[in-house]
Amino acid sequence: MSIRKLVVALCASATLLSGTAKAAPLTLEQITALAQSGVGDEAVVAKIKSTGTHMDLSVEQMLELKKKGLTGPILAALLDSPATAPTAQQFSLTSPDPAVLHPAGVYLLDAGKGHMVRIDPTTTNQAKTGGIFGYALTGGLASASIKASIQNASARVHAAERTPTFYFFFDESNPQVGNAPSSWASGTAATVTSPSEFTLIKLITKDGRREARVGSMNIAGAKTGVMDKDRVAFDYQMVRPGVYKIQPKAELAPGEYGFLFSLNGMGNGGALSARIFDFSI
C-alpha cells in the first residue's frame, strides 16, 4: 500500500472510531482506502451508514470498484444507504423560521422577541353541568350546559399581540424521522394532520379554573360541541408540507383561549378526553 493510501486509511479509520468527529459523506477514495486497509466489511458498512453516504453507481463503476477490493456488502451499502436522518440536535424549539425543523406541536410566534414558544397541551380534568336549577325549575325551558373544566386560572403561554400568529408542525413536517418528539402522540390526537381539525375557543374563567362549553340541553333537545358564541374564527395556510401558519380573523379581546381538538362523542365523555393548546391575551 502506498504511503498516501495509508494516510487516507488511517484518517478515515480515526474518523470512524471518534465519537466527536463530525460525520460527513465519504468519498470513493476514502471508501476504497478503508476497504484496502483491512478494517473489515462491517466497519466500512457501518461508516457508510452513519455518514449517510449514498452513491448511484453504474455497472461499470461497480465492476471497477470490485477490482479495487470493494466487496458486495460494501457496494450494497453504498447503493442502499439513505441520507442521514435529522438528529435531535437539528430540531429547534425556538427558531422563528418555519423552514427549520421543529418537534411536532403548536407554537406561538413571539415577534417582539424573535422566537417561537411551544404550547404544551392541557387535558381537561373534569366535566360538569351548569344551569341545572333553572332547567329543573322551568321544566326544561331554560337550558343546562355541559362544560369541560381546565385547571388553573390562566395559561402558561401569553400572547403579546391581539392578533397572534401560530405555527402548527405536524408529523409530516419531519418525514425522515419516524420517532421525532410529537404533541400528537397520544389520545385523540394520533391522526391529526390539519388545523381544520381544531376549534379556536374563548374560555370562561371561573373560581380559579377555566371552562369550555361543550354541550347544552333543554326541553327542545340537546346540542353537543363547542357553542357558537365561544368559537373564534381563524385562517390558516400551508407553509410547507406538514407546517401551517394560523391567525385569528379578528383581534382577540384580553382573556383565555385555546385550540381544541374536534371532539368525538362530546358530552361528559368527550369533555374528559379533550386536549387544549391554551394561551392568554
Side-chain angles (χ1 to χ4, degrees):
M1 180 186 301
S2 68
I3 295 178
R4 178 172 173 275
K5 287 185 177 180
L6 179 60
V7 170
V8 172
L10 289 174
C11 290
S13 298
T15 302
L16 176 65
L17 297 173
S18 173
T20 59
K22 181 180 179 180
L26 301 175
T27 65
L28 274 178
E29 185 178 30
Q30 289 175 315
I31 295 169
T32 301
L34 278 172
Q36 294 175 348
S37 70
V39 298
D41 286 359
E42 291 184 0
V44 179
V45 169
K47 185 62 178 175
I48 290 171
K49 291 183 177 180
S50 69
T51 57
T53 303
H54 174 78
M55 297 182 184
D56 187 13
L57 301 173
S58 65
V59 174
E60 291 75 14
Q61 286 176 310
M62 292 175 66
L63 292 174
E64 184 63 28
L65 290 172
K66 180 67 175 177
K67 293 178 182 179
K68 293 181 179 181
L70 271 68
T71 63
I74 294 175
L75 292 173
L78 277 175
L79 294 170
D80 295 341
S81 180
T84 303
T87 63
Q89 289 76 20
Q90 291 175 281
F91 286 88
S92 174
L93 289 170
T94 59
S95 173
D97 185 358
V100 173
L101 294 177
H102 288 69
V106 174
Y107 294 77
L108 167 68
L109 176 63
D110 189 331
K113 296 181 180 179
H115 65 224
M116 289 192 191
V117 180
R118 193 167 191 253
I119 303 177
D120 293 324
T122 297
T123 303
T124 56
N125 59 3
Q126 187 182 54
K128 57 182 296 184
T129 56
I132 292 296
F133 181 74
Y135 176 83
L137 190 64
T138 62
L141 292 175
S143 295
S145 60
I146 302 171
K147 302 173 183 178
S149 183
I150 310 168
Q151 63 184 350
N152 302 326
S154 184
R156 296 176 59 187
V157 175
H158 178 78
E161 299 176 331
R162 298 287 289 272
T163 311
T165 299
F166 301 88
Y167 285 94
F168 285 21
F169 290 81
F170 296 108
D171 292 332
E172 185 186 0
S173 66
N174 305 318
Q176 292 176 294
V177 187
N179 59 347
S182 175
S183 283
W184 325 118
S186 63
T188 58
T191 58
V192 177
T193 59
S194 169
S196 64
E197 299 176 60
F198 292 78
T199 302
L200 177 56
I201 61 172
K202 178 78 162 58
L203 299 171
I204 304 165
T205 303
K206 184 178 180 181
D207 298 331
R209 63 179 183 273
R210 290 159 292 158
E211 297 177 346
R213 287 179 288 225
V214 294
S216 67
M217 59 182 179
N218 57 27
I219 195 172
K223 292 191 296 184
T224 59
V226 176
M227 300 295 99
D228 291 338
K229 59 183 177 181
D230 294 334
R231 295 174 183 266
V232 179
F234 65 88
D235 284 323
Y236 66 88
Q237 63 183 39
M238 180 186 289
V239 177
R240 62 181 176 87
V243 180
Y244 293 83
K245 179 181 179 181
I246 292 91
Q247 283 186 309
K249 289 187 176 181
E251 287 190 355
L252 302 181
E256 299 294 320
Y257 298 85
F259 287 97
L260 176 72
F261 282 115
S262 300
L263 302 178
N264 296 320
M266 298 302 297
N268 288 357
L272 286 172
S273 64
R275 302 177 78 213
I276 301 176
F277 292 83
D278 55 327
F279 63 95
S280 64
I281 298 291

